[in-house]
Amino acid sequence: MPEKTYDHQQIELKWHERWSQDPTLYQAEENSARPKYYVLEMLPYPSGALHIGHIRNYSIGDALARYMWMRGYNVLHPMGWDAFGLPAENAAIANQRPPREWTLSNVEKMKRTHSRFAFSYDWDREVTTCEPDYYRWNQWFFLRMLEKGLAYQKQALVNWCNQCATVLANEQVVDGCCWRHDSTPVEQRALEQWFLRTTAYAADLLEDIKQLEGNWPDRVLTMQKNWIGRSEGAEVDFTIQGYGPVRVFTTRVDTIFGATCMILAPEHAIVATLSEDLKAQAKRMVDARANQGPGDVLKDGFDTGLRAVNPFSGETIPIWVGNFVLMGYGTGAIMAVPAHDERDFEFCRKYGIDVVPVIKPVDGDLPDGATMTVANGDYGIVANSGQWSGMTSEDARREMAAHAEREGFGKSAITWRLKDWGVSRQRYWGTPIPVIHCPKCGVVGVPDDQLPVLLPRQVQITGKGRSPLADVPEFVDVPCPKCGEPSKRETDTMDTFVDSSWYFYRYCDAKNSNAPFDPAKIAYWFPIDQYIGGVEHAILHLIYSRFWTKMMRDIGLITNAEPVKKLFTQGMVIANGAKMSKSKGNVVNADLVADEFGADTARLFALFAAPPERDMDWTEAGAEGIYRFLGRVYRFATRNIGTAGGDGSSDAKILRKLHQVLMKVTQDFDSRWHFNTSIAAMMELLNELHAEESKISAAAMAQSIEIVTFLLAPFAPYLAQELWEEQGKSGPVFRQQWPAFDAELARETDVEIPVQINGKLRARVTVPAGLDKDALEAAVRADEKVAAQIEGKTVVKVIAVVDKLVNIVVK
RNA sequence: GCCCGGGUGGCGAAACCGGCAGACGCACCGGACUUAAAAUCCGUUUCCCCGCAAGGGGAGUGCGGGUUCAAGUCCCGCCCCGGGCACCA
C-alpha cells in the first residue's frame, strides 16, 4: 500500500462521525457473563471548557477502561456533572443569565469536547446534579437522616461580610477579610444551620481505613486519619466555687498535679455569666480569631477572677480565658500544665502564672519551674503527685483516669477532631433542604410524595442578603404538611459536596424514578474498582463519600461498607513551567490542542510527559514530538500493509521486540501505570521496525502492524481504529481481545555483560543468555581484553551475576 | 513546627529486587533530500584530561559521612524545592 500522510483532522472526524451513530458503543452489559470492572474519574464542575488537566485525568481512566474491555471485563465507565455551585450564581449576577441556563449550556459545550476526545463513557448513565431527577434524592436522603437523628439544626458561627451583607464560604475569606472587600474584616455570626452527624461515624471511618490500606495512597489515608483525629485521654471535673463542676479534656492526666490554672475558650458557657466588660473582651477575641490567617498567632487571655479546685490535689487555681482554647474541641476548657505543654508554657509565662514540673525525665532530674525555658512534653516518672508519685506516665494516665471514675469526678475519654458536617448554604444554586418550619409542629420534613422540592426558576440573584430563596414568597409560604397551619419553608440549600457524595451510585441506575437506585445493581457494580482524581479531594470529598456509604448501609440500602476499592491520585498539570490558573491566563484549552494536534496526540502526550502520579509539564514542543511519533506510525503502517516483504532475516529480532514491548505495556497496566515508559517502549519498537523495515517478511510485518495497533488502542483510539481498518479488519479495535505476550519469545538470546575490574567498567563481553555463574566467569576470563587487565595480578574474588555483570577483584 | 512527595544532562524523564547512570522524547548542532523553505530521513550532544587519529584515562545522580566486590538505589547526619496540616489540650 502506498504511504499515506497522517491527517489527524480527517481521521478523527471520520471516526467521530461513525462512533456518534452508535450509542451502544460504550455501554456496559446488563446481564454479563464477564467479570465486572467499575472505573471512574471524578466528575468535573461544568465551567464551560475542558483544560489539559481534565484531559490528563480522563486519559488515564480511559486507557484503563479500554484496556480492561480488551481484557474481557464488563466495564462500567460513566461521566457526569457536578453542576450546582457558586460560579453559576456569580455568572448570573455578572451577565444576567439564569444559573440553570448558564450551567446547562456549559455542560453542552464540555460534552462536545469530551466527545471529540473519544473518552469511552456510557453517556446513557450521565448524571447532572442540578437536575431535579438527581437532587430529589439528595432531599430523600436528607429526610432519612432527619428521621435517624443524623441531620439536625443548631446555632453555628458563619463568616459574615458586612459589605456584601452575606455569608461567605471559608474559601472566600482571605487573610481574615472578604475576598471582594479586602479591607472589610469578616465577622463571626451565629445562625441556625443544618448539620449531618458525621461524628456518629468517626470510629467507623477510622477503623475502615485499614480495609483501604495498600489500595489507596498512603498520604491520603494519613490525611484522613489526621482529619478524624482520634485522641485518647481523660475528662476531669474541676469545681468552680459558686458554679459547680467544669469539665476539661486532657491526654495527660498524669500531669494534673502540675496544673496551675484552668483556661476556657472565649465562647465557653461560663463566659456568658461574667461581667459585661469581660464578655466584651471575649467577644473581641472571637472576632479577632476569625481574622487570623494561618501563621503564628500571639497568645492572649484574661483572668476571670473565678477559682477552681483541682479534684486530685485539692489545690485552688485561677480560671482564665484564652484565645488558643477552642470551643469546638474537647470540652472547650483545659487545665494548663505549663511545665509539660508548650502552649500552656507560652501562655503562663506571658501572664506570670506558676510553672510546676511534675514529670521527672527517665534519665534526669525534675527541672526547676522558675527557671525552665521550654516545656517538656515527654513521658517520664510522675513526681510530687501524692499516691501516684513514682509511677510511669503511662501507668499514671490509666490509674488516675480509673480513680477519677471511681470517685465520680471524671473518666477516661476519647475525643475526635472530626466535626459534624455543616451543610447549610445561604445560596440559591443548590439542593433545597426539604423541611418546613411550622409555628405549631416545629421542624417538619417534607413528605416523600411531595419530593422533589423544586428550586424555583425565576429568582432575582443579587449577591446581597440572605438566601435568595427567602425572597420568593411562592416558595417560602406553604402550609404545614402535618397540621396545615401557614408555615415557612427552609430557604437554605445544601453544600454541593452532598451531590458528589453518592453520584457514583446513581450511575448504576441513573434513570430510576422510584428510588435513588436499585440495590441489586449496586450489589453488582460496587465497590468502584478504580477511582481516579486529584489529590485535592483527599479529605473532604472522599470522607463525605465514605460517610454517605456507611449511612446508606445503615438505612439498609446497600451492603458495602466502603465505596472505593482502589484510589489513584494523579499529579497536577503545569503549563510551560508555571501552575495553570485563570489569573495567569495560561490555562491550556483542550479544544485548541485537539484542533492543532488532534485528540490522540493530546491524550498520548498527557500520559507520556511524566508518570501519572507526578506533576507534569505541558509543552507545545513535547506535544509536537508525540504528533511526529503518531505520524511515523501511520506512515510506516500504511506503506507496509500488504507489501511483498523482505527476506525475513530480521524476523526473529522483531518478534522478540514485539513480545518484549507487549509484555512491558501489559505489566504497566497491571501494576505501576507508568504509561510514560509504556509509550517509550512503543517508540523503541517503532524505531526498530523502521531500522529493520526491508528485512522483515510479509507475515512478520503484518503481525507487527497488528500488534502496534493493539498497543495504541487504549491510548490513541482514533489512530488505532484507522489502522485497524487499513488492515482490512472490521469492528471496533477496542472490542478485540488484548494479545497475550509470550515471555519465552521475549527472552534475549545473547546478552552483553559488563565486566568490572575492582568495580570499574573495563570491558563488555557478549555471551549467550542464561549462562550459569561458572560458565559466565569462564567466558569472561577468555576475553582478550579482560585477560590483559588481570595479567600479572592476583584474582581475589569474582562476582558473577547471571545475565547481568561480572566483577573481578584483583590485587 | 509536624506529616507526606521530590532533588539525576540544556529540558521532561528512565534505571521496578543494590549490578553498564541518562532508555524514550524535547531542544541544540551537523549532514542528506530540496532552486529554497517546510516536512521527512541519518548522525552528534554529561563534564574534564591525553591523543593528528583510532582510542584511552578520570570525575559525575542536592551536600557530608557509612555499609558493600558494587550505591541514583540501603543506613546516619544535613541542605533546598513542592504539597498538606497547623494552637486539637
Side-chain angles (χ1 to χ4, degrees), chain A residues 42-51 54 58 79-89 91 97-114 123 126-131 429 496 499-500 582:
Chain A
M42 289 182 182
L43 88 176
Y45 179 80
S47 59
L50 290 177
H51 56 71
H54 293 114
Y58 309 144
M79 183 44 68
W81 309 98
D82 189 14
F84 271 137
L86 205 49
E89 284 184 58
R97 272 184 92 182
R100 181 167 185 274
E101 189 190 307
W102 182 84
T103 304
L104 295 185
S105 99
N106 282 349
V107 165
E108 276 318 303
K109 280 188 232 163
M110 288 171 79
K111 219 172 146 179
R112 276 201 294 279
T113 312
H114 263 289
W123 284 111
E126 180 177 7
V127 164
T128 306
T129 61
C130 67
E131 293 293 72
W429 196 230
T496 56
D499 309 322
S500 54
K582 268 195 185 149

Side-chain angles (χ1 to χ4, degrees), chain A residues 455-469:
Chain A
L455 209 46
R457 296 251 174 117
Q458 301 302 316
V459 174
Q460 189 61 30
I461 297 168
T462 58
K464 289 194 191 295
R466 56 213 172 131
S467 170
L469 292 176

Side-chain angles (χ1 to χ4, degrees), chain A residues 505-516:
Chain A
Y505 286 93
R506 183 71 180 171
Y507 283 144
C508 297
D509 197 10
K511 290 174 181 156
N512 196 327
S513 52
N514 302 314

